[in-house]
Structure formats: C-alpha cells, structure tokens
C-alpha cells in the first residue's frame, strides 16, 4: 500500500496561542500545525497549564474545544481526556512540538497502541535549568530532567534545530544517531514582503535592533548593554522585550505581533543576537529575510547559515571587541551593507514554513515505514 495515498493520523502536542505575540516554541507549534492540518488527519492537544485558572478537576478530566471546524481541531484536555482521545483517535504519529510535562502521558500508551513519537527540540531543559533558572526548585529540576530523559530515550525521532543543540543535549543524554533529524525553523512571507519594500538611503546613524528578556540570562542582555557602551552614540539602538531596565539613548519596545515586528524591521539596518544559548532564533531568521543584516553569536543556532562578510557576521558570546568591529565596519561601508542585506534576504525560499512543514511530513511518512 502506498502510505502517501492516505492522510497520516497525527496528534500534535504543545501550546497553541491564538495571539500573534508568540514565543519561538509557540510560533513553531502554530505554524507547523497550520501548514499540515489539511494535509494530515490531525488534532492539536494542549493542557490546562495555568494552575491559577484551572482546577484539579479540569487538569484531570476537563475538556475545552478551542477550535473545531474543517481541518482544524484544537482541544485543551485534562490527563484522562488525553488518554481517552488518544485511544479513540488511534494516531500513527504523536509529535511533541515543545517541552511540556503533560506529554509524558503519550509514552504510557506508546507500546500498547503502537504509534511513533517524535519531538521538536526548542531547548535543552536540563541545561537551561542548571545554567540559567536560579529560581526553580530542586524538585522541579529533577522532574523536568526525568521527563526530558524519557522523551529523549523513548521518542522514535528527535528533530534538532542546530548542531550546537545536539552537542549540548549529548552532555546530558545518550542520543542515538539514528534518532536525530536536523531541521530548521521557518519564516513567514510577510518578512519577504518587507524586504521587497525596503529602500536603501544614506543615514546619519544606522538603526540596530535586538530582542531580549532580562529574566532569561541566556539571551545575553547584560553582555550586550556593556558591549555597546563605547559606540552607543554612533548608532540608534532599539531593544524589543520584557522585564528590561532602561538606559539612556536606547529605545525600548514591548513584544510585538508578527505583522508589527515585520513592519518595524522595515526601517532597521542591523539585527544583533547576543545569546549565550539559542537552539535556532526565529527572530534572527525573520530579520534576515526582511533584509536586516545579522550579527549573531556563534552560540545562536542559525549562525550555522551565516557566511562571514557575505550574508552577515558571527562572533563569540562575550567578545565585545568583535561585535563593535562588525558594527563599525557596516557603519562605514554602505556598499557592504547593501550586499549583506541582499544576501541575507535571499534565504527566504529555503526557509518558508511551507517548505519546512513539507520536510516534517516526509519525515513522518518515513517514521511509519520504518
């Protein structure tokens, strides 16, 4: 039988956010499901996450229909409802779109119902908890590590977003090569539309933007604020994020919807990633496709797609001298800026969500045939 003649039955599990002010994992979950829901027989499941809003009864037995029409079936379910739906739906694949504790439930039925499980790795939780989450209890750290260990061990395939994330994951877990699928995140068409509208004019000061959160040390906000001090007056710096301490001569913006961020990038010249650890960085990709020149730490996953001085720059986290050098080089060379902007934007067709989701679907068919 030709597997591709029938739609695969898939349960997608993660967080579904109606809003377009999305975290990276939320955007991945929303875009992958949206691209594949009409190409598969699928359902999206999320949990009653917020303990302040939902009761124990809901967390065990609750059901809310978020969307149910045409190909869209998105449900918020309690643990026993998840078990019942999984038994009734009889999926061939369960794909976990982000690290969530409730997903352990799928592994309890895996060997009874004979489905395959895969997982998109947006972060290495054991690494992040040990390095950056100072306010998390030892109990939760242990709980997270046990669940992450189980997902890594018992998933059939692991979708990693960069070689660097594979390297980090292997410091904590024994991961077989045959399980690893290296895949990129995608980008929305609106960022390409912004690039098409972009106009190149001489400016007295270039606009430089970065996205940060002071509660997430891995994003490097302290490093970047220190690094730009000597050249702060030579550029117009903007920071988008939350929980930020404001400094003079830097513009601050709250998190934006996808469309708002795309329009904002129209007037930006340079995008900086200052991350100590980032499995991919969708915002870096979106900036590139909009024609904004990337200067990324090598610890940022997407930096593997940067060719130095051709479509951007890469520097090591903590190397403020290299960061300053790259910024000043762009400031003083309009022709270089134009070349890098054009080359950065040219990766759009390689990273369209439609193309990335097609790769996911091919891998799902491959899992079934193994």
């Amino acid at each position: 039988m030709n597997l591709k003649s029938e739609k695969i039955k898939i349960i997608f599990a993660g967080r579904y956010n109606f809003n377009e002010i999305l975290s990276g994992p939320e955007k991945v979950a929303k875009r992958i499901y949206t691209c594949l829901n009409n190409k598969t027989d699928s359902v999206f499941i999320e949990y009653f996450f917020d303990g302040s809003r939902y009761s124990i009864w809901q967390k065990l037995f609750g059901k809310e229909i978020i969307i149910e029409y045409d190909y869209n079936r998105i449900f918020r379910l309690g643990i026993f409802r998840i078990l019942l739906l999984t038994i009734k739906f009889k999926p061939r694949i369960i794909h976990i779109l982000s690290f969530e504790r409730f997903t352990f439930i799928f592994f309890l039925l895996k060997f009874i119902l004979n489905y395959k499980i895969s997982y998109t790795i947006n972060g290495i939780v054991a690494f992040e908890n040990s390095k950056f989450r100072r306010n998390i209890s030892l109990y939760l750290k242990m709980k997270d590590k046990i669940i992450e260990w189980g997902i890594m061990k018992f998933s059939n395939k692991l979708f990693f977003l960069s070689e660097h994330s594979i390297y980090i994951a292997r410091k904590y877990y024994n991961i077989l090569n045959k399980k690893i699928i290296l895949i990129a995140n995608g980008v929305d068409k609106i960022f390409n539309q912004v690039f098409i509208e972009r106009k190149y004019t001489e400016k007295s000061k270039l606009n430089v933007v970065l996205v940060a959160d002071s509660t997430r040390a891995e994003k490097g906000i302290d490093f970047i604020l220190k690094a730009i001090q000597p050249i702060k007056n030579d550029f117009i710096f903007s920071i988008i994020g939350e929980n930020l301490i404001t400094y003079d001569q830097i513009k601050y913006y709250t998190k934006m919807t996808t469309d708002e961020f795309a329009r904002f990038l129209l007037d930006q010249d340079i995008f900086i990633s200052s991350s100590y650890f980032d499995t991919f960085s969708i915002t870096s990709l979106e900036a590139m496709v909009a024609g904004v020149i990337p200067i990324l730490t090598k610890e940022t996953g997407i930096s593997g797609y940067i060719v130095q001085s051709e479509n951007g720059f890469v520097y090591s986290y903590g190397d403020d001298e290299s960061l300053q050098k790259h910024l000043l080089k762009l400031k003083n060379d309009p022709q270089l800026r134009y070349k890098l902007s054009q080359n950065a934007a040219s990766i759009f067709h390689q990273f369209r969500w439609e193309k990335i989701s097609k790769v996911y679907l091919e891998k799902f068919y491959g899992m079934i045939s193994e």
Side-chain angles (χ1 to χ4, degrees):
M1 183 178 75
N2 182 5
L3 286 172
K4 295 188 181 182
S5 65
E6 60 173 313
K7 289 185 175 182
I8 307 178
K9 293 176 76 70
I10 302 176
I11 290 177
F12 291 99
R15 291 179 186 249
Y16 191 91
N17 187 346
F18 271 109
N19 201 324
E20 271 299 305
I21 301 178
L22 300 164
S23 68
E26 287 174 341
K27 183 168 283 189
V28 172
K30 193 171 185 177
R31 297 298 187 263
I32 292 297
Y33 174 70
T34 301
C35 287
L36 292 183
N37 64 356
N38 65 342
K39 297 179 177 65
T40 60
D41 181 4
S42 60
V43 59
F44 191 110
I45 294 175
E46 74 164 34
Y47 181 58
F48 290 92
F49 292 111
D50 190 344
S52 64
R53 290 179 57 197
Y54 302 116
S55 67
I56 293 296
W57 177 265
Q58 287 173 301
K59 286 177 173 289
L60 292 175
F61 303 104
K63 178 179 179 180
E64 288 184 8
I65 297 172
I66 300 174
I67 299 177
E68 189 173 22
Y69 67 88
D70 295 334
Y71 297 107
N72 289 286
R73 288 174 290 180
I74 304 172
F75 304 123
R76 184 177 293 117
L77 303 176
I79 293 298
F80 287 102
R81 288 279 194 170
I82 292 171
L83 283 170
L84 288 172
L85 183 143
T86 304
I87 293 167
K88 183 178 178 181
F89 188 68
K90 297 184 173 129
R92 302 292 300 277
I93 300 282
I94 289 179
H95 186 73
I96 301 169
L97 284 157
S98 59
F99 177 83
E100 307 295 350
R101 295 174 186 134
F102 82 89
T103 58
F104 81 92
I105 201 75
F106 296 116
F107 293 91
L108 301 180
L109 295 174
K110 180 175 187 274
F111 300 104
I112 300 172
L113 299 182
N114 199 32
Y115 49 69
K116 305 288 181 69
I117 298 180
S118 52
Y119 172 44
T120 295
I121 299 170
N122 293 289
I124 314 301
V125 178
F127 170 71
E128 293 172 26
N129 282 350
S130 65
K131 294 288 185 182
F132 311 119
R133 308 290 178 261
R134 304 302 180 192
N135 58 345
I136 190 170
S137 69
L138 180 61
Y139 168 73
L140 286 179
K141 285 184 179 181
M142 291 301 298
K143 186 176 180 180
D144 283 348
K145 188 164 185 179
I146 290 168
I147 292 172
E148 189 173 53
W149 170 83
I151 294 174
M152 295 288 192
K153 182 173 177 62
F154 296 110
S155 290
N156 298 88
K157 295 294 180 183
L158 300 170
F159 287 73
F160 282 93
L161 299 171
S162 65
E163 294 283 359
H164 185 58
S165 64
I166 297 172
Y167 170 76
I168 295 293
R170 279 184 158 154
K171 289 186 173 184
Y172 293 85
Y173 308 107
N174 180 26
I175 299 171
L176 301 177
N177 286 333
K178 67 180 181 180
K179 287 189 175 186
I180 294 173
I181 295 172
L182 193 60
I183 196 164
N185 280 330
V187 66
D188 297 309
K189 292 178 182 178
I190 190 170
F191 294 95
N192 179 245
Q193 294 167 6
V194 166
F195 169 70
I196 293 169
E197 295 176 35
R198 179 173 290 278
K199 292 181 174 26
Y200 296 90
T201 57
E202 286 300 317
K203 297 179 177 179
S204 58
K205 291 184 179 181
L206 300 180
N207 292 318
V208 182
V209 62
L210 62 143
V211 177
D213 184 337
S214 63
T215 64
R216 298 184 62 190
E218 69 271 27
K219 294 301 182 183
I221 184 63
D222 292 336
F223 155 64
I224 197 66
L225 289 173
K226 172 180 171 291
I228 65 175
Q229 284 302 313
I231 57 171
K232 190 167 60 175
N233 295 329
D234 296 320
F235 300 87
I236 299 173
F237 287 97
S238 297
I239 301 179
I240 301 171
E242 298 176 334
N243 309 304
L244 300 172
I245 300 171
T246 59
Y247 290 82
D248 290 340
Q249 297 173 288
I250 297 178
K251 296 182 177 181
Y252 292 88
Y253 299 86
T254 57
K255 292 179 71 175
M256 304 175 185
T257 66
T258 298
D259 286 2
E260 287 169 345
F261 181 55
R263 302 311 305 176
F264 176 82
L265 290 175
L266 184 59
D267 193 42
Q268 299 302 306
D269 303 291
I270 300 168
F271 180 92
I272 294 176
S273 165
S274 56
S275 293
Y276 176 73
F277 173 71
D278 195 324
T279 55
F280 188 82
S281 179
I282 288 180
T283 52
S284 297
L285 174 61
E286 291 169 342
M288 289 177 69
V289 169
V292 183
I293 301 163
I295 304 179
L296 313 179
T297 58
K298 70 177 183 181
E299 293 81 6
T300 301
I302 196 177
S303 66
Y305 296 94
I306 301 296
V307 179
Q308 199 81 330
S309 300
E310 288 296 322
N311 64 349
F313 292 104
V314 177
Y315 69 104
S316 295
Y317 175 85
D319 186 355
D320 49 1
E321 290 185 7
S322 291
L323 174 59
Q324 294 164 16
K325 180 185 74 174
H326 296 323
L327 284 167
L328 292 172
K329 188 174 184 179
L330 289 169
K331 173 180 179 290
N332 296 322
D333 193 337
Q335 290 184 334
L336 178 66
R337 291 202 304 272
Y338 180 79
K339 181 186 84 168
L340 266 60
S341 173
Q342 296 287 313
N343 290 344
S346 69
I347 66 172
F348 167 62
H349 295 290
Q350 181 182 353
F351 290 95
R352 290 179 298 112
W353 276 118
E354 294 80 4
K355 186 168 184 176
I356 299 301
S357 64
K358 185 178 179 181
V359 175
Y360 270 92
L361 191 57
E362 290 291 334
K363 298 302 181 184
F364 292 153
Y365 279 117
M367 287 170 63
I368 290 176
S369 63
E370 286 183 354

